[in-house]
Amino acid sequence: MSPTRFPGPVRRTLFLAAAACTLAAAPVPRAPAPASALARTQPPHCGDAHSADFPIASRLSGGPGAYERGGAPAAWQLELRNGTETECRAVHPVAVLADSGRALQPGQIHLDFYDSGASRWRPVSFERTEEAENVGVLDGRAPDFPGFVVPAHGTVVVPLRLAFGGDAPEGAVTANVTAVQRRGADGAWVGESDDYAFAVGARRPGAGPSAAPSASPAEGDGRPGVLADTGDAQPLFGIGTAACALLVAGAALVAGARRLRR
């Protein structure tokens, strides 16, 4: 992690949490890889690792101002814009949702992102932090997902679709996305989006069933389809070591940022 971006307590939290996830994943012991091999498998740093400025500008747009509990998912998007001279690889956005009543639970959130490389929607699994925020890594719980590649001075648009369970609490919710570059079992914070504020309310009487699923954002009538199973009840160690490290890194980063802003 860049020492210019995180206070000491946050760095310690990241280390301990990542270590706990690594132990939970229980990998089979093997000989350590040579330093040269590790250098080949890790992507180059996104931007200047010692700069206080984020190399990725993130923006959320297109989402509605209100969601219905148990209703059909609504579409919005995440824009990742690289302001540097080199491409940024292995970028895994981390979504953070927090409600004003601090009652929203991971199992009540259903979020998918579209992986254009695999031509499929991928689910996002959430975990709840001590700050009552719900944090989920956009990795689809799949080891074959390498993250997003944002070209130099280029932009990547990630379609998203979001819905809430019928038992979700009503009230105001704020969402934002932190961009993290995966570097082995570690991660570097490379960007943070603006806040997307909306409300969750009761479903309208007589509302019809959720829309049928569509294969891609461009198909159908423009409305996103039924979300894939997010597997929110899956234990954290089932996500995999790398995704787990990203998840706890995102949680720690967000918690640290919230404390610094207060």
Side-chain angles (χ1 to χ4, degrees), residues 18-94:
C21 282
T22 301
L23 291 174
V28 177
R30 60 183 179 182
S36 58
L38 290 175
R40 288 195 299 269
T41 57
Q42 290 191 1
H45 283 283
C46 184
D48 183 354
H50 302 289
S51 173
D53 297 326
F54 289 130
I56 299 290
S58 306
R59 188 172 73 93
L60 301 175
S61 64
Y67 292 79
E68 296 179 0
R69 299 193 303 176
W76 40 299
Q77 66 182 27
L78 165 66
E79 180 181 293
L80 302 170
R81 187 170 65 254
N82 183 356
T84 72
E85 300 291 338
T86 58
E87 70 176 9
C88 291
R89 307 183 64 86
V91 175
H92 291 259
V94 179

Side-chain angles (χ1 to χ4, degrees), residues 163-259:
F164 292 89
D167 60 344
E170 298 183 23
V173 179
T174 299
N176 62 32
V177 175
T178 297
V180 177
Q181 183 188 38
R182 188 178 71 189
R183 300 186 56 78
D186 198 3
W189 191 9
V190 296
E192 185 177 19
S193 77
D194 51 337
D195 287 344
Y196 165 34
F198 55 88
V200 175
R203 195 167 188 186
R204 293 169 298 171
S210 299
S214 59
S216 72
E219 293 185 6
D221 60 1
R223 294 176 300 173
V226 175
L227 294 166
D229 179 15
T230 58
D232 296 304
Q234 183 175 351
L236 186 59
F237 58 77
I239 301 174
T241 305
C244 182
L246 280 172
L247 183 59
V248 296
L253 292 175
V254 170
R258 296 294 189 275
R259 286 191 290 269

Side-chain angles (χ1 to χ4, degrees), residues 119-131:
S119 300
R120 56 166 292 190
W121 289 96
R122 292 186 182 270
V124 177
S125 292
F126 283 87
E127 294 290 333
R128 186 174 169 86
T129 73
E130 293 181 355
E131 298 289 324

